[in-house]
Amino acid sequence: MRVIDHFIDGEYTSSLSGRQFEKRSPVDNSLVARISEGGQPEVDAAVAAARRALTGEWGRLTLDQRVELLYGVANEITRRFDDFVAAEMADTGQPQHVMKHAFIPRGAANFKVFADVIKNVANESFQTPTPDGRGALNYTLRVPKGVIGVVCPWNAPFLLMTWKVGPALACGNTVVVKPSEETPLTAALLGEVMNAVGVPRGVYNVVNGFGPDSAGAFLTAHPGVNAITFTGETRTGEVIMQAAAKGMRDVSFELGGKNAAIVFADADFDAAVDGVFRSCFLNSGQVCLGTERVYVERPLFERFVQALKVRAEAVKYGRPEDHATTYGPLISHEHRRKVLGYYQRAVEEGATVVTGGGVPDMPADLAGGAWVQPTIWTGLPESAAVVREEIFGPCCHIRPFDSEAEVTALANDNEYGLSTTIWTQDLARAHRMAAAIEVGITWVNAWFLRDLRTAFGGSKQSGIGREGGVHSLEFYTELRNVCVKL
Ligand code: NAD
Ligand code: 6OD
């Protein structure tokens, strides 16, 4: 059986305790690999290696040399594209077209773009008048923060891990990554890439394990970690923030969402149906930016609900390697229990189930997988749990609205504030609403269209801080001001 070890100080190592846990396939529950389970000794070793690397060969590289190494990482990911696609499919069970066209190319881009950003960013300077008339010059130095703890979720593992590791390394830091226990494969594979291109030992480290009382908690509490970047559930973020308070460590958090899609009657109908279908059901709804609340202007409501139903009922379940497959399973049986709990709750709360609501009939070889049907509800009040709480599954509630003011208030009436999507041909209205809706990211006539130079992050309980472009530099570096009296 394949064993996935930690990657510490440039080497794959098992745990001192010898403990391992199982990674099972979401597709059929078969055993994918056994994973070394890290504890305090592995976290200590990884943090120590990362600290040594800060002042070793890595710390002495010129900016140009560091940037060249990161281009090398991006190129090596592209050269080993098929290996990364296969690893991510084994971890998540999602169809290969999602991996090939969206998630894996982003891994390479996350290294290349931030190498470009760090190379081209200017530092600020001020000329300061002084009483003697000679003046002073202030300028900033940008220095790495140190060792960055990177705690990752399972829903788009390679994209989300490299979205943190790329800028962290571009800025000259070193990292210790704690991948999700559900998806350890691509983080492990990236170690091979680092060694192949000559990234010095200790710059990139991975410790596998769980969250509480395990590698995640040990890493975030470790005094040798200077800052923590975390993507995951809001409740987990609260726990990590408490750990980060000890030692005054900085945090960057990308958390949950309960995002609204808003469709006006003047929208390009086919584009809106296609966009909302993707935002609800891509990756089986396991996308933080996905839309679980859909508001449709009343004249379009019935037609839109029917069109989305047709699309949802046309998904092709299957193995990720099969070209015909368009729709995969949930990540695990544990997550399926949560999602099915909400499916039942919707019925109890009085929803009209437009489609789905349960487990599909699957052939015998796939029956052990964590499959659920894409599900659409109508008819619920805004107070219903499935309308208020993040489900993180392939489901949405659709409600009609009558005015811009009404739908703006509906969109804002939630504790989360990650993203929103507006479908309309009236761009003046779109601009007005984008300013009024309390989220970090608004898309107009698009969804998940990314430019990595833009600010990315959530408002309200969807996150703390912004990453992307120079905003990532604000988290992964510290500015030092130098004042020179002339
Ligand atoms: P999660 O919070 O359960 O786990 C995320 C990571 O945190 C895992 O590696 C886990 O082992 C670790 N962890 C758990 N408890 C911990 C603790 N006490 N201390 C340290 N580490 C701990 O999240 P998940 O279920 O893996 O991911 C799904 C969630 O992530 C959803 O809420 C989704 O919205 C969110 N998400 C947000 C974004 C964004 O950009 N805002 C992106 C992707 C996912
Ligand atoms: O595109 C990104 O940079 C990003 N962080 C996407 C998050 C997707 C959430 O599932």
Side-chain angles (χ1 to χ4, degrees):
M1 172 44 59
R2 186 175 176 199
V3 173
I4 299 293
D5 280 327
H6 315 292
F7 184 73
I8 299 174
D9 208 13
E11 285 174 19
Y12 288 94
T13 52
S14 56
S15 295
L16 204 63
S17 67
R19 281 167 67 166
Q20 296 178 338
F21 62 95
E22 290 181 345
K23 163 61 198 173
R24 290 198 166 263
S25 167
V27 173
D28 57 10
N29 209 34
S30 59
L31 192 58
V32 173
R34 298 190 62 79
I35 316 299
S36 288
E37 181 183 338
Q40 191 70 55
E42 289 70 39
V43 171
D44 286 347
V47 174
R51 295 219 71 80
R52 281 194 302 278
L54 284 173
T55 50
E57 184 190 346
W58 174 250
R60 291 192 295 273
L61 293 180
T62 64
L63 177 60
D64 280 352
Q65 288 169 327
R66 198 162 77 226
V67 161
E68 280 310 313
L69 266 183
L70 297 184
Y71 284 154
V73 172
N75 291 339
E76 183 68 5
I77 291 170
T78 305
R79 195 182 71 76
R80 298 202 52 188
F81 189 76
D82 291 345
D83 295 338
F84 278 97
V85 168
E88 195 93 318
M89 285 194 308
D91 260 345
T92 67
Q94 290 299 318
Q96 60 165 311
H97 73 90
V98 180
M99 302 302 136
K100 285 188 170 169
H101 300 296
F103 291 175
I104 301 303
R106 262 296 297 279
N110 285 335
F111 285 97
K112 181 166 183 318
V113 167
F114 289 103
D116 287 339
V117 171
I118 193 73
K119 199 164 174 185
N120 292 302
V121 75
N123 286 346
E124 68 182 19
S125 81
F126 291 97
Q127 288 184 327
T128 309
T130 56
D132 65 5
R134 289 165 61 184
L137 176 68
N138 283 277
Y139 67 92
T140 48
L141 297 173
R142 194 178 276 285
V143 297
K145 263 196 182 142
V147 175
I148 309 290
V150 183
V151 182
C152 306
W154 45 257
N155 59 307
F158 191 53
L159 183 162
L160 290 167
M161 185 262 292
T162 53
W163 166 244
K164 308 300 192 160
V165 172
L169 298 193
C171 291
N173 301 286
T174 59
V175 297
V176 179
V177 174
K178 210 298 277 175
S180 168
E181 52 274 32
E182 305 285 358
T183 53
L185 296 187
T186 46
L189 193 51
L190 190 60
E192 291 181 20
V193 167
M194 296 288 171
N195 282 349
V197 303
V199 172
R201 298 160 72 103
V203 171
Y204 173 77
N205 305 276
V206 181
V207 180
N208 290 301
F210 299 89
D213 299 319
S214 183
F218 301 146
L219 178 63
T220 51
H222 202 292
V225 170
N226 299 97
I228 299 160
T229 182
F230 166 71
T231 307
E233 286 189 23
T234 299
R235 299 291 88 85
T236 311
E238 288 174 352
V239 176
I240 292 179
M241 200 164 177
Q242 286 173 7
K246 187 131 199 241
M248 290 297 155
R249 278 96 44 75
D250 204 356
V251 294
S252 174
F253 283 171
E254 295 180 11
L255 307 174
K258 187 72 182 179
N259 312 304
I262 299 169
V263 184
F264 283 92
D266 70 352
D268 175 333
F269 184 79
D270 292 340
V273 171
D274 192 56
V276 173
F277 172 77
R278 285 198 320 115
S279 71
C280 294
F281 302 120
L282 180 84
N283 215 33
S284 302
Q286 304 164 120
V287 180
C288 60
L289 306 158
T291 53
E292 292 183 352
R293 298 186 289 152
V294 181
Y295 300 101
V296 180
E297 205 169 8
R298 199 173 297 276
L300 205 61
F301 181 74
E302 290 301 339
R303 187 174 160 221
F304 190 90
V305 170
Q306 284 312 307
L308 206 62
K309 170 178 162 30
V310 168
R311 290 291 301 269
E313 289 174 355
V315 299
K316 299 272 182 287
Y317 300 86
R319 291 193 176 274
E321 314 79 44
D322 185 340
H323 286 278
T325 301
T326 63
Y327 179 84
L330 296 180
I331 189 68
S332 65
H333 283 275
E334 185 189 344
H335 189 49
R336 181 165 81 161
R337 276 191 288 280
K338 174 184 162 189
V339 171
L340 289 176
Y342 276 108
Y343 283 14
Q344 191 182 336
R345 187 94 183 261
V347 173
E348 288 163 5
E349 288 179 314
T352 300
V353 181
V354 176
T355 187
V359 174
D361 284 333
M362 299 299 293
D365 64 322
L366 297 178
W371 303 93
V372 294
Q373 292 171 318
T375 294
I376 300 172
W377 304 290
T378 56
L380 285 171
E382 291 294 296
S383 56
V386 301
V387 182
R388 302 208 69 76
E389 297 171 17
E390 182 187 53
I391 301 170
F392 218 54
C395 52
C396 65
H397 177 257
I398 317 185
R399 171 193 167 127
F401 70 88
D402 296 298
S403 74
E404 181 183 324
E406 178 198 5
V407 77
T408 302
L410 287 168
N412 282 340
D413 182 21
N414 196 268
E415 66 186 16
Y416 293 112
L418 185 54
S419 73
T420 197
T421 309
I422 303 169
W423 298 90
T424 180
Q425 304 212 28
D426 180 347
L427 288 186
R429 171 163 60 197
H431 286 298
R432 257 193 325 268
M433 291 189 65
I437 294 182
E438 299 156 356
V439 293
I441 304 145
T442 295
W443 278 288
V444 177
N445 297 327
W447 176 74
F448 210 163
L449 175 59
R450 294 281 287 114
D451 179 329
L452 305 191
R453 297 168 299 181
T454 60
F456 183 98
S459 304
K460 302 199 265 190
Q461 293 197 27
S462 288
I464 295 182
R466 294 290 179 272
E467 297 196 33
V470 294
H471 310 287
S472 293
L473 308 194
E474 280 157 24
F475 179 70
Y476 293 107
T477 60
E478 217 159 57
L479 294 181
R480 290 184 183 159
N481 190 69
V482 181
C483 178
V484 184
K485 174 74 172 57
L486 301 174

